[in-house]
Amino acid sequence: MKKIATLFFLLFAYSLVYAQKKAEMADVMRSNGKIYTVVAVCLTILFGLFAYVYSIDRKISKIEKNNN
Amino acid sequence: MKKSWWKILSLVLLIYTIIGGFLFEVPRLDILNETIRNLYFHVCMWFGMMILFGVSFVYSIKHLRGFNLKHDIYARHFAETGSLFGILGYLTGILWVNVTWVTDQGQSLGSVLKEPKLIGAAIALLIYGAYFVLRGSFNDIDKKARVSAVYNIFAFAMLFPSIWIIPRLVGSLHPGAPGSDSGNPALNRNDLDGSMRMVFYPAIIGWTLLGVWITTLRIRLSLINEKDIIS
Protein backbone atom coordinates (compact mmCIF):
# COMPACT_ATOMS: atom_id res chain seq x y z
CA MET A 1 0.00 0.00 0.00
CA LYS A 2 2.79 2.34 0.99
CA LYS A 3 4.61 1.56 -2.23
CA ILE A 4 1.59 2.38 -4.33
CA ALA A 5 1.09 5.62 -2.43
CA THR A 6 4.72 6.54 -3.09
CA LEU A 7 4.29 5.71 -6.75
CA PHE A 8 1.24 7.94 -7.00
CA PHE A 9 3.04 10.72 -5.21
CA LEU A 10 5.96 10.46 -7.61
CA LEU A 11 3.64 10.38 -10.61
CA PHE A 12 1.86 13.44 -9.32
CA ALA A 13 5.15 15.25 -8.72
CA TYR A 14 6.35 14.30 -12.18
CA SER A 15 3.19 15.60 -13.82
CA LEU A 16 3.67 18.91 -11.99
CA VAL A 17 7.22 19.22 -13.28
CA TYR A 18 6.11 18.17 -16.74
CA ALA A 19 3.41 20.82 -16.81
CA GLN A 20 5.96 23.48 -16.00
CA LYS A 21 8.18 22.41 -18.88
CA LYS A 22 5.73 23.80 -21.43
CA ALA A 23 7.32 26.01 -24.01
CA GLU A 24 7.52 29.62 -23.00
CA MET A 25 5.14 31.89 -24.89
CA ALA A 26 4.26 35.55 -24.58
CA ASP A 27 1.36 34.80 -22.25
CA VAL A 28 1.91 37.89 -20.12
CA MET A 29 1.66 40.10 -23.16
CA ARG A 30 -1.63 38.44 -24.02
CA SER A 31 -3.06 38.58 -20.51
CA ASN A 32 -2.35 42.29 -19.99
CA GLY A 33 -3.57 43.15 -23.47
CA LYS A 34 -0.37 44.71 -24.76
CA ILE A 35 -0.54 42.40 -27.75
CA TYR A 36 -3.39 44.59 -29.02
CA THR A 37 -0.95 47.48 -29.23
CA VAL A 38 1.26 45.41 -31.50
CA VAL A 39 -1.71 44.49 -33.67
CA ALA A 40 -2.80 48.13 -33.83
CA VAL A 41 0.68 49.30 -34.84
CA CYS A 42 0.94 46.70 -37.58
CA LEU A 43 -2.55 47.49 -38.84
CA THR A 44 -1.72 51.19 -38.96
CA ILE A 45 1.37 50.48 -41.05
CA LEU A 46 -0.68 48.23 -43.31
CA PHE A 47 -3.37 50.89 -43.80
CA GLY A 48 -0.72 53.50 -44.50
CA LEU A 49 0.93 51.28 -47.10
CA PHE A 50 -2.36 50.54 -48.81
CA ALA A 51 -3.37 54.19 -48.81
CA TYR A 52 -0.06 55.03 -50.44
CA VAL A 53 -0.38 52.34 -53.11
CA TYR A 54 -3.96 53.46 -53.71
CA SER A 55 -2.88 57.07 -54.24
CA ILE A 56 -0.19 55.98 -56.73
CA ASP A 57 -2.81 53.89 -58.53
CA ARG A 58 -5.06 56.94 -58.84
CA LYS A 59 -2.23 59.12 -60.10
CA ILE A 60 -1.30 56.62 -62.79
CA SER A 61 -4.95 56.36 -63.83
CA LYS A 62 -5.04 60.13 -64.25
CA ILE A 63 -1.94 60.05 -66.45
CA GLU A 64 -3.43 57.19 -68.48
CA LYS A 65 -6.56 59.22 -69.04
CA ASN A 66 -4.59 62.27 -70.18
CA ASN A 67 -2.51 60.19 -72.56
CA ASN A 68 -5.44 58.77 -74.46
CA MET B 1 -8.06 54.08 -60.28
CA LYS B 2 -8.84 50.74 -61.80
CA LYS B 3 -11.34 49.29 -59.40
CA SER B 4 -10.72 45.64 -58.83
CA TRP B 5 -12.18 43.27 -56.30
CA TRP B 6 -8.83 41.62 -55.71
CA LYS B 7 -7.25 44.82 -54.44
CA ILE B 8 -9.86 44.97 -51.70
CA LEU B 9 -9.48 41.23 -51.13
CA SER B 10 -5.76 41.76 -50.61
CA LEU B 11 -6.37 44.40 -47.94
CA VAL B 12 -8.99 42.28 -46.20
CA LEU B 13 -6.79 39.19 -46.21
CA LEU B 14 -3.82 41.12 -44.85
CA ILE B 15 -5.90 42.66 -42.07
CA TYR B 16 -7.01 39.12 -41.23
CA THR B 17 -3.38 37.97 -41.39
CA ILE B 18 -2.21 40.54 -38.87
CA ILE B 19 -5.13 40.08 -36.48
CA GLY B 20 -5.18 36.30 -36.78
CA GLY B 21 -1.45 36.05 -37.00
CA PHE B 22 -0.86 37.78 -33.68
CA LEU B 23 -3.93 36.76 -31.73
CA PHE B 24 -4.88 33.20 -32.73
CA GLU B 25 -3.59 30.17 -30.88
CA VAL B 26 -0.42 28.58 -32.18
CA PRO B 27 1.31 25.37 -31.08
CA ARG B 28 3.59 25.84 -28.08
CA LEU B 29 6.99 24.64 -29.20
CA ASP B 30 10.40 24.95 -27.65
CA ILE B 31 12.99 27.10 -29.42
CA LEU B 32 10.39 28.44 -31.85
CA ASN B 33 8.12 29.87 -29.14
CA GLU B 34 6.23 32.86 -30.46
CA THR B 35 8.47 33.20 -33.51
CA ILE B 36 6.38 30.45 -35.09
CA ARG B 37 4.12 33.32 -36.15
CA ASN B 38 6.80 34.33 -38.64
CA LEU B 39 5.26 31.67 -40.84
CA TYR B 40 2.59 34.21 -41.80
CA PHE B 41 5.16 36.75 -42.89
CA HIS B 42 8.55 35.27 -43.73
CA VAL B 43 7.31 32.13 -45.48
CA CYS B 44 4.63 34.08 -47.33
CA MET B 45 7.33 36.27 -48.89
CA TRP B 46 8.88 33.17 -50.47
CA PHE B 47 5.55 31.82 -51.66
CA GLY B 48 4.69 35.22 -53.10
CA MET B 49 8.08 35.31 -54.80
CA MET B 50 7.50 31.91 -56.41
CA ILE B 51 4.05 32.88 -57.66
CA LEU B 52 5.31 36.19 -59.08
CA PHE B 53 8.27 34.49 -60.76
CA GLY B 54 5.79 31.95 -62.13
CA VAL B 55 3.70 34.71 -63.68
CA SER B 56 6.85 36.27 -65.11
CA PHE B 57 7.77 32.88 -66.60
CA VAL B 58 4.34 32.58 -68.26
CA TYR B 59 4.67 36.04 -69.81
CA SER B 60 8.15 35.18 -71.11
CA ILE B 61 6.71 32.16 -72.89
CA LYS B 62 3.88 34.31 -74.20
CA HIS B 63 6.42 36.79 -75.52
CA LEU B 64 8.31 34.07 -77.36
CA ARG B 65 5.07 32.84 -78.95
CA GLY B 66 4.05 36.15 -80.47
CA PHE B 67 6.97 38.56 -79.90
CA ASN B 68 4.65 41.07 -78.31
CA LEU B 69 6.76 43.64 -76.45
CA LYS B 70 3.96 44.19 -73.95
CA HIS B 71 4.48 40.68 -72.63
CA ASP B 72 8.16 41.42 -72.20
CA ILE B 73 7.34 44.40 -69.99
CA TYR B 74 4.95 42.24 -67.97
CA ALA B 75 7.59 39.55 -67.49
CA ARG B 76 10.21 42.07 -66.41
CA HIS B 77 8.06 43.75 -63.77
CA PHE B 78 6.78 40.50 -62.30
CA ALA B 79 10.38 39.34 -61.99
CA GLU B 80 11.26 42.63 -60.28
CA THR B 81 8.54 42.38 -57.66
CA GLY B 82 9.34 38.70 -57.21
CA SER B 83 12.94 39.61 -56.48
CA LEU B 84 11.80 42.23 -53.99
CA PHE B 85 9.76 39.59 -52.18
CA GLY B 86 12.75 37.26 -52.25
CA ILE B 87 15.01 39.89 -50.72
CA LEU B 88 12.41 40.61 -48.03
CA GLY B 89 12.19 36.88 -47.36
CA TYR B 90 15.95 36.73 -47.00
CA LEU B 91 16.12 39.69 -44.63
CA THR B 92 13.32 38.39 -42.42
CA GLY B 93 15.00 34.98 -42.47
CA ILE B 94 18.22 36.51 -41.12
CA LEU B 95 16.32 37.90 -38.13
CA TRP B 96 14.62 34.57 -37.50
CA VAL B 97 17.90 32.63 -37.72
CA ASN B 98 19.39 34.78 -34.99
CA VAL B 99 16.88 33.86 -32.32
CA THR B 100 16.22 30.23 -33.20
CA TRP B 101 19.12 28.45 -34.83
CA VAL B 102 22.01 30.54 -33.55
CA THR B 103 20.90 31.47 -30.05
CA ASP B 104 18.56 28.70 -28.95
CA GLN B 105 19.63 25.71 -30.99
CA GLY B 106 23.29 26.56 -30.50
CA GLN B 107 24.16 26.15 -34.15
CA SER B 108 27.51 27.65 -35.05
CA LEU B 109 27.57 30.42 -37.60
CA GLY B 110 29.39 27.99 -39.89
CA SER B 111 26.56 25.50 -39.96
CA VAL B 112 24.06 28.27 -40.58
CA LEU B 113 26.13 29.56 -43.47
CA LYS B 114 26.29 26.03 -44.87
CA GLU B 115 22.51 25.81 -44.79
CA PRO B 116 21.62 24.56 -48.28
CA LYS B 117 18.35 26.43 -48.47
CA LEU B 118 20.09 29.73 -47.73
CA ILE B 119 22.67 29.04 -50.41
CA GLY B 120 19.99 27.84 -52.83
CA ALA B 121 17.85 30.92 -52.28
CA ALA B 122 20.90 33.13 -52.76
CA ILE B 123 21.71 31.34 -56.03
CA ALA B 124 18.13 31.73 -57.23
CA LEU B 125 18.10 35.45 -56.42
CA LEU B 126 21.47 35.95 -58.09
CA ILE B 127 20.21 34.19 -61.21
CA TYR B 128 17.33 36.64 -61.30
CA GLY B 129 19.80 39.46 -60.64
CA ALA B 130 21.65 38.37 -63.76
CA TYR B 131 18.34 38.59 -65.64
CA PHE B 132 18.21 42.33 -64.98
CA VAL B 133 21.88 42.76 -65.86
CA LEU B 134 21.24 40.91 -69.10
CA ARG B 135 18.29 43.14 -69.90
CA GLY B 136 20.41 46.22 -69.39
CA SER B 137 23.13 45.06 -71.73
CA PHE B 138 21.18 45.24 -74.99
CA ASN B 139 20.60 48.19 -77.25
CA ASP B 140 18.30 46.41 -79.67
CA ILE B 141 14.86 46.26 -78.05
CA ASP B 142 13.61 43.18 -79.90
CA LYS B 143 16.77 41.23 -79.26
CA LYS B 144 16.72 42.27 -75.60
CA ALA B 145 13.16 41.05 -75.17
CA ARG B 146 13.82 37.76 -76.92
CA VAL B 147 17.07 36.81 -75.21
CA SER B 148 15.88 37.84 -71.77
CA ALA B 149 12.66 35.85 -72.24
CA VAL B 150 14.73 32.75 -72.93
CA TYR B 151 16.93 33.50 -69.95
CA ASN B 152 13.89 34.04 -67.72
CA ILE B 153 12.64 30.55 -68.59
CA PHE B 154 16.00 29.15 -67.58
CA ALA B 155 15.95 31.16 -64.35
CA PHE B 156 12.54 29.79 -63.42
CA ALA B 157 13.68 26.28 -64.20
CA MET B 158 16.60 26.77 -61.78
CA LEU B 159 14.41 28.20 -59.03
CA PHE B 160 12.81 24.97 -57.88
CA PRO B 161 15.89 22.76 -57.79
CA SER B 162 17.81 25.39 -55.86
CA ILE B 163 15.22 26.24 -53.22
CA TRP B 164 13.23 23.00 -52.93
CA ILE B 165 14.96 19.94 -54.31
CA ILE B 166 18.61 20.34 -53.29
CA PRO B 167 17.87 21.32 -49.65
CA ARG B 168 15.68 18.21 -49.38
CA LEU B 169 18.45 16.02 -50.74
CA VAL B 170 21.42 17.16 -48.71
CA GLY B 171 19.76 18.04 -45.43
CA SER B 172 18.83 21.44 -44.13
CA LEU B 173 17.91 23.18 -40.91
CA HIS B 174 14.64 24.15 -42.54
CA PRO B 175 11.64 21.87 -42.08
CA GLY B 176 11.34 19.11 -44.63
CA ALA B 177 14.97 18.13 -44.77
CA PRO B 178 16.10 14.55 -44.23
CA GLY B 179 17.16 14.19 -40.62
CA SER B 180 14.66 16.70 -39.34
CA ASP B 181 11.87 14.23 -38.62
CA SER B 182 9.23 16.35 -40.34
CA GLY B 183 9.30 14.73 -43.76
CA ASN B 184 7.90 16.91 -46.48
CA PRO B 185 5.92 19.73 -44.88
CA ALA B 186 4.40 20.67 -48.20
CA LEU B 187 2.71 17.29 -48.50
CA ASN B 188 2.39 16.18 -44.89
CA ARG B 189 -0.96 17.18 -43.43
CA ASN B 190 0.18 16.61 -39.85
CA ASP B 191 3.14 18.90 -40.08
CA LEU B 192 1.39 22.22 -39.98
CA ASP B 193 -1.17 22.74 -37.28
CA GLY B 194 -4.72 23.20 -38.54
CA SER B 195 -5.15 26.51 -36.74
CA MET B 196 -2.06 27.83 -38.50
CA ARG B 197 -3.31 26.78 -41.92
CA MET B 198 -6.37 28.96 -41.31
CA VAL B 199 -4.13 32.02 -41.35
CA PHE B 200 -1.25 30.77 -43.48
CA TYR B 201 -3.12 30.17 -46.74
CA PRO B 202 -5.06 33.48 -46.70
CA ALA B 203 -1.78 35.21 -45.81
CA ILE B 204 -0.08 33.80 -48.91
CA ILE B 205 -2.94 35.01 -51.11
CA GLY B 206 -3.03 38.43 -49.43
CA TRP B 207 0.69 39.12 -49.74
CA THR B 208 0.80 37.83 -53.30
CA LEU B 209 -2.11 40.04 -54.34
CA LEU B 210 -0.35 43.06 -52.82
CA GLY B 211 2.69 42.14 -54.90
CA VAL B 212 0.53 41.83 -58.01
CA TRP B 213 -1.02 45.24 -57.33
CA ILE B 214 2.39 46.92 -57.04
CA THR B 215 3.49 45.11 -60.18
CA THR B 216 0.48 46.27 -62.20
CA LEU B 217 1.24 49.86 -61.18
CA ARG B 218 4.79 49.55 -62.45
CA ILE B 219 3.60 47.86 -65.64
CA ARG B 220 1.10 50.65 -66.33
CA LEU B 221 3.79 53.26 -65.78
CA SER B 222 6.11 51.40 -68.17
CA LEU B 223 3.38 51.12 -70.78
CA ILE B 224 2.92 54.91 -70.64
CA ASN B 225 6.65 55.60 -70.82
CA GLU B 226 7.32 53.17 -73.65
CA LYS B 227 4.15 53.87 -75.57
CA ASP B 228 5.87 54.66 -78.83
CA ILE B 229 7.90 51.44 -78.76
CA ILE B 230 5.03 49.06 -78.12
CA SER B 231 2.41 49.94 -80.65
Side-chain angles (χ1 to χ4, degrees), chain B residues 18 31 42 49 80 101 117-118 126 147 151 184 198 201 205-206 228:
Chain B
I18 285 177
I31 295 176
H42 164 75
M49 179 197 79
E80 270 179 12
W101 295 342
K117 212 160 198 166
L118 258 66
L126 286 174
V147 173
Y151 182 84
N184 190 338
M198 295 269 292
Y201 294 148
I205 299 169
D228 37 329

Side-chain angles (χ1 to χ4, degrees), chain B residues 73-192:
Chain B
I73 290 174
Y74 278 58
R76 171 185 149 203
H77 286 297
F78 274 108
E80 270 179 12
T81 320
S83 303
L84 172 72
F85 271 52
I87 291 164
L88 288 176
Y90 223 99
L91 292 175
T92 50
I94 290 167
L95 298 173
W96 204 359
V97 158
N98 257 327
V99 296
T100 50
W101 295 342
V102 176
T103 312
D104 284 0
Q105 238 181 49
Q107 302 277 354
S108 68
L109 190 64
S111 67
V112 171
L113 289 175
K114 270 186 274 182
E115 226 284 309
K117 212 160 198 166
L118 258 66
I119 298 170
I123 291 171
L125 287 176
L126 286 174
I127 288 175
Y128 273 94
Y131 170 69
F132 302 116
V133 174
L134 182 73
R135 292 191 65 92
S137 62
F138 281 97
N139 288 325
D140 185 335
I141 294 160
D142 293 304
K143 202 182 263 175
K144 171 173 93 179
R146 213 167 294 181
V147 173
S148 51
V150 173
Y151 182 84
N152 195 18
I153 292 168
F154 156 77
F156 191 68
M158 280 302 292
L159 180 69
F160 286 84
S162 58
I163 64 173
W164 290 117
I165 299 169
I166 293 171
R168 296 275 159 84
L169 290 176
V170 300
S172 158
L173 295 167
H174 276 94
S180 81
D181 45 5
S182 52
N184 190 338
L187 301 173
N188 187 351
R189 293 193 68 87
N190 302 325
D191 221 52
L192 186 58

Side-chain angles (χ1 to χ4, degrees), chain B residues 207-222:
Chain B
W207 288 114
T208 308
L209 284 178
L210 177 61
V212 171
W213 190 1
I214 295 169
T215 312
T216 55
L217 293 179
R218 295 182 61 99
I219 289 170
R220 282 159 66 191
L221 211 57
S222 263

